[in-house]
Amino acid sequence: MSGTEPKALVELVASDLLGPGVTFCPHPRMPLWSGHPKVYIDVATTGEGRCPYCGTVYRLQAGQTLHAH
């Protein structure tokens, strides 16, 4: 990751992820005023991903593992 601090950090558990280890932003817990087009973010590859619109970082909580289907 770059040296910049994320605008927001959302920690996820494995059951929060969709399909092949992705989540989407804006996240359902975000306020409506902060909405932007929905984008899917890969969390499975490195354990975290950053939204290209708002900079929110989505990170898999420590100790969580993804199971292959």
Side-chain angles (χ1 to χ4, degrees):
M1 229 168 80
S2 68
T4 61
E5 288 297 315
K7 176 180 176 183
L9 175 66
V10 177
E11 287 199 314
L12 304 167
V13 294
S15 62
D16 291 332
L17 300 178
L18 307 171
V22 298
T23 190
F24 60 88
C25 192
H27 197 267
R29 291 177 270 185
M30 291 180 164
L32 290 177
W33 63 262
S34 66
H36 54 66
K38 187 179 205 177
V39 291
Y40 291 90
I41 300 165
D42 174 21
V43 179
T45 302
T46 65
E48 72 177 40
R50 183 183 296 258
C51 175
Y53 285 103
C54 68
T56 298
V57 171
Y58 292 87
R59 182 178 298 154
L60 197 58
Q61 287 182 357
Q64 292 289 306
T65 57
L66 301 178
H67 301 285
H69 295 275

